PDB file of all heavy atoms in Angstrom:
ATOM      1  N   MET A   1      81.742 117.845 -54.783  1.00 45.00           N
ATOM      2  CA  MET A   1      81.596 117.796 -53.338  1.00 45.00           C
ATOM      3  C   MET A   1      81.912 119.181 -52.779  1.00 45.00           C
ATOM      4  O   MET A   1      82.857 119.820 -53.200  1.00 45.00           O
ATOM      5  CB  MET A   1      82.549 116.742 -52.765  1.00 45.00           C
ATOM      6  CG  MET A   1      82.331 116.487 -51.289  1.00 45.00           C
ATOM      7  SD  MET A   1      83.355 115.141 -50.629  1.00 45.00           S
ATOM      8  CE  MET A   1      82.582 113.739 -51.384  1.00 45.00           C
ATOM      9  N   ASP A   3      83.239 122.245 -50.425  1.00 50.00           N
ATOM     10  CA  ASP A   3      84.498 122.467 -49.734  1.00 50.00           C
ATOM     11  C   ASP A   3      84.329 122.165 -48.253  1.00 50.00           C
ATOM     12  O   ASP A   3      83.490 122.741 -47.584  1.00 50.00           O
ATOM     13  CB  ASP A   3      84.902 123.930 -49.938  1.00 50.00           C
ATOM     14  CG  ASP A   3      86.288 124.226 -49.436  1.00 50.00           C
ATOM     15  OD1 ASP A   3      87.067 123.280 -49.268  1.00 50.00           O
ATOM     16  OD2 ASP A   3      86.577 125.413 -49.239  1.00 50.00           O
ATOM     17  N   GLU A   5      86.396 122.512 -45.321  1.00 53.00           N
ATOM     18  CA  GLU A   5      87.587 122.992 -44.639  1.00 53.00           C
ATOM     19  C   GLU A   5      87.202 123.676 -43.345  1.00 53.00           C
ATOM     20  O   GLU A   5      86.210 124.374 -43.262  1.00 53.00           O
ATOM     21  CB  GLU A   5      88.346 123.985 -45.521  1.00 53.00           C
ATOM     22  CG  GLU A   5      88.981 123.336 -46.733  1.00 53.00           C
ATOM     23  CD  GLU A   5      89.858 124.296 -47.491  1.00 53.00           C
ATOM     24  OE1 GLU A   5      90.295 125.316 -46.932  1.00 53.00           O
ATOM     25  OE2 GLU A   5      90.094 124.021 -48.673  1.00 53.00           O
ATOM     26  N   CYS A  39      65.462 105.789 -36.648  1.00 96.00           N
ATOM     27  CA  CYS A  39      65.586 104.338 -36.489  1.00 96.00           C
ATOM     28  C   CYS A  39      67.029 103.853 -36.523  1.00 96.00           C
ATOM     29  O   CYS A  39      67.321 102.773 -36.015  1.00 96.00           O
ATOM     30  CB  CYS A  39      64.800 103.624 -37.584  1.00 96.00           C
ATOM     31  SG  CYS A  39      63.018 103.792 -37.414  1.00 96.00           S
ATOM     32  N   PRO A  49      65.421 109.562 -30.125  1.00 98.00           N
ATOM     33  CA  PRO A  49      63.964 109.717 -30.086  1.00 98.00           C
ATOM     34  C   PRO A  49      63.464 110.571 -31.244  1.00 98.00           C
ATOM     35  O   PRO A  49      64.022 111.642 -31.519  1.00 98.00           O
ATOM     36  CB  PRO A  49      63.705 110.403 -28.749  1.00 98.00           C
ATOM     37  CG  PRO A  49      64.925 110.132 -27.928  1.00 98.00           C
ATOM     38  CD  PRO A  49      66.060 110.050 -28.903  1.00 98.00           C
ATOM     39  N   ARG A  62      67.644 123.845 -40.532  1.00 97.00           N
ATOM     40  CA  ARG A  62      68.181 123.265 -39.295  1.00 97.00           C
ATOM     41  C   ARG A  62      68.149 121.736 -39.333  1.00 97.00           C
ATOM     42  O   ARG A  62      67.179 121.131 -39.798  1.00 97.00           O
ATOM     43  CB  ARG A  62      67.354 123.752 -38.115  1.00 97.00           C
ATOM     44  CG  ARG A  62      67.890 123.325 -36.765  1.00 97.00           C
ATOM     45  CD  ARG A  62      67.124 123.988 -35.637  1.00 97.00           C
ATOM     46  NE  ARG A  62      67.639 123.548 -34.351  1.00 97.00           N
ATOM     47  CZ  ARG A  62      66.888 123.328 -33.292  1.00 97.00           C
ATOM     48  NH1 ARG A  62      65.578 123.534 -33.342  1.00 97.00           N
ATOM     49  NH2 ARG A  62      67.431 122.932 -32.169  1.00 97.00           N
ATOM     50  N   PHE A  63      69.219 121.127 -38.813  1.00 97.00           N
ATOM     51  CA  PHE A  63      69.336 119.679 -38.643  1.00 97.00           C
ATOM     52  C   PHE A  63      69.762 119.471 -37.197  1.00 97.00           C
ATOM     53  O   PHE A  63      70.880 119.786 -36.815  1.00 97.00           O
ATOM     54  CB  PHE A  63      70.366 119.124 -39.621  1.00 97.00           C
ATOM     55  CG  PHE A  63      70.611 117.631 -39.540  1.00 97.00           C
ATOM     56  CD1 PHE A  63      69.697 116.751 -38.991  1.00 97.00           C
ATOM     57  CD2 PHE A  63      71.776 117.112 -40.065  1.00 97.00           C
ATOM     58  CE1 PHE A  63      69.939 115.386 -38.939  1.00 97.00           C
ATOM     59  CE2 PHE A  63      72.045 115.743 -40.025  1.00 97.00           C
ATOM     60  CZ  PHE A  63      71.121 114.885 -39.472  1.00 97.00           C
ATOM     61  N   LEU A  65      69.171 116.932 -33.450  1.00 97.00           N
ATOM     62  CA  LEU A  65      68.658 115.718 -32.820  1.00 97.00           C
ATOM     63  C   LEU A  65      69.381 115.503 -31.501  1.00 97.00           C
ATOM     64  O   LEU A  65      70.364 116.168 -31.200  1.00 97.00           O
ATOM     65  CB  LEU A  65      68.819 114.495 -33.738  1.00 97.00           C
ATOM     66  CG  LEU A  65      70.198 114.208 -34.325  1.00 97.00           C
ATOM     67  CD1 LEU A  65      71.100 113.508 -33.340  1.00 97.00           C
ATOM     68  CD2 LEU A  65      70.050 113.387 -35.583  1.00 97.00           C
ATOM     69  N   VAL A  68      70.690 109.319 -27.265  1.00 97.00           N
ATOM     70  CA  VAL A  68      70.665 108.953 -25.850  1.00 97.00           C
ATOM     71  C   VAL A  68      71.299 107.575 -25.685  1.00 97.00           C
ATOM     72  O   VAL A  68      70.913 106.623 -26.368  1.00 97.00           O
ATOM     73  CB  VAL A  68      69.216 108.910 -25.316  1.00 97.00           C
ATOM     74  CG1 VAL A  68      69.186 108.571 -23.838  1.00 97.00           C
ATOM     75  CG2 VAL A  68      68.487 110.218 -25.599  1.00 97.00           C
ATOM     76  N   THR A  74      73.314 109.025 -21.004  1.00 95.00           N
ATOM     77  CA  THR A  74      74.166 110.102 -21.499  1.00 95.00           C
ATOM     78  C   THR A  74      73.559 110.682 -22.766  1.00 95.00           C
ATOM     79  O   THR A  74      73.085 109.934 -23.632  1.00 95.00           O
ATOM     80  CB  THR A  74      75.590 109.580 -21.789  1.00 95.00           C
ATOM     81  OG1 THR A  74      76.141 109.069 -20.587  1.00 95.00           O
ATOM     82  CG2 THR A  74      76.486 110.669 -22.337  1.00 95.00           C
ATOM     83  N   TYR A  82      72.062 122.702 -42.553  1.00 97.00           N
ATOM     84  CA  TYR A  82      72.403 122.161 -43.872  1.00 97.00           C
ATOM     85  C   TYR A  82      73.110 123.243 -44.686  1.00 97.00           C
ATOM     86  O   TYR A  82      72.657 124.385 -44.747  1.00 97.00           O
ATOM     87  CB  TYR A  82      71.148 121.701 -44.620  1.00 97.00           C
ATOM     88  CG  TYR A  82      70.542 120.447 -44.069  1.00 97.00           C
ATOM     89  CD1 TYR A  82      69.401 120.495 -43.279  1.00 97.00           C
ATOM     90  CD2 TYR A  82      71.111 119.208 -44.334  1.00 97.00           C
ATOM     91  CE1 TYR A  82      68.831 119.332 -42.775  1.00 97.00           C
ATOM     92  CE2 TYR A  82      70.548 118.041 -43.832  1.00 97.00           C
ATOM     93  CZ  TYR A  82      69.415 118.120 -43.059  1.00 97.00           C
ATOM     94  OH  TYR A  82      68.856 116.969 -42.553  1.00 97.00           O
ATOM     95  N   GLU A  87      69.136 116.836 -54.030  1.00 97.00           N
ATOM     96  CA  GLU A  87      68.363 115.591 -54.000  1.00 97.00           C
ATOM     97  C   GLU A  87      68.528 114.847 -55.308  1.00 97.00           C
ATOM     98  O   GLU A  87      68.424 115.471 -56.368  1.00 97.00           O
ATOM     99  CB  GLU A  87      66.891 115.907 -53.756  1.00 97.00           C
ATOM    100  CG  GLU A  87      66.050 114.681 -53.615  1.00 97.00           C
ATOM    101  CD  GLU A  87      64.592 114.979 -53.293  1.00 97.00           C
ATOM    102  OE1 GLU A  87      64.248 116.118 -52.988  1.00 97.00           O
ATOM    103  OE2 GLU A  87      63.798 114.035 -53.359  1.00 97.00           O
ATOM    104  N   TRP A  93      76.266 119.394 -44.127  1.00 96.00           N
ATOM    105  CA  TRP A  93      75.859 120.191 -42.979  1.00 96.00           C
ATOM    106  C   TRP A  93      77.100 120.557 -42.191  1.00 96.00           C
ATOM    107  O   TRP A  93      78.147 119.934 -42.335  1.00 96.00           O
ATOM    108  CB  TRP A  93      74.840 119.449 -42.114  1.00 96.00           C
ATOM    109  CG  TRP A  93      75.343 118.170 -41.522  1.00 96.00           C
ATOM    110  CD1 TRP A  93      75.933 117.997 -40.306  1.00 96.00           C
ATOM    111  CD2 TRP A  93      75.299 116.869 -42.114  1.00 96.00           C
ATOM    112  NE1 TRP A  93      76.266 116.684 -40.097  1.00 96.00           N
ATOM    113  CE2 TRP A  93      75.890 115.963 -41.206  1.00 96.00           C
ATOM    114  CE3 TRP A  93      74.826 116.379 -43.333  1.00 96.00           C
ATOM    115  CZ2 TRP A  93      76.013 114.609 -41.468  1.00 96.00           C
ATOM    116  CZ3 TRP A  93      74.951 115.019 -43.589  1.00 96.00           C
ATOM    117  CH2 TRP A  93      75.528 114.158 -42.669  1.00 96.00           C
ATOM    118  N   ALA A 118      83.829 113.803 -43.303  1.00 89.00           N
ATOM    119  CA  ALA A 118      83.682 114.849 -42.288  1.00 89.00           C
ATOM    120  C   ALA A 118      85.048 115.422 -41.938  1.00 89.00           C
ATOM    121  O   ALA A 118      86.067 114.731 -41.999  1.00 89.00           O
ATOM    122  CB  ALA A 118      83.021 114.294 -41.036  1.00 89.00           C
ATOM    123  N   PRO A 131      85.146 107.026 -35.841  1.00 81.00           N
ATOM    124  CA  PRO A 131      84.930 106.054 -36.923  1.00 81.00           C
ATOM    125  C   PRO A 131      84.222 104.781 -36.458  1.00 81.00           C
ATOM    126  O   PRO A 131      83.425 104.209 -37.197  1.00 81.00           O
ATOM    127  CB  PRO A 131      86.345 105.739 -37.416  1.00 81.00           C
ATOM    128  CG  PRO A 131      87.160 106.929 -37.017  1.00 81.00           C
ATOM    129  CD  PRO A 131      86.561 107.398 -35.719  1.00 81.00           C
ATOM    130  N   LEU A 141      72.070 101.550 -40.397  1.00 97.00           N
ATOM    131  CA  LEU A 141      71.417 102.089 -41.593  1.00 97.00           C
ATOM    132  C   LEU A 141      71.181 100.965 -42.597  1.00 97.00           C
ATOM    133  O   LEU A 141      70.090 100.860 -43.168  1.00 97.00           O
ATOM    134  CB  LEU A 141      72.262 103.201 -42.211  1.00 97.00           C
ATOM    135  CG  LEU A 141      71.817 103.708 -43.584  1.00 97.00           C
ATOM    136  CD1 LEU A 141      70.392 104.221 -43.573  1.00 97.00           C
ATOM    137  CD2 LEU A 141      72.779 104.776 -44.087  1.00 97.00           C
TER     138      LEU A 141
END
Side-chain angles (χ1 to χ4, degrees):
M1 188 175 289
D3 188 19
E5 291 187 20
C39 291
R62 185 173 179 217
F63 179 22
L65 52 80
V68 182
T74 300
Y82 288 103
E87 184 177 350
W93 62 92
L141 171 58

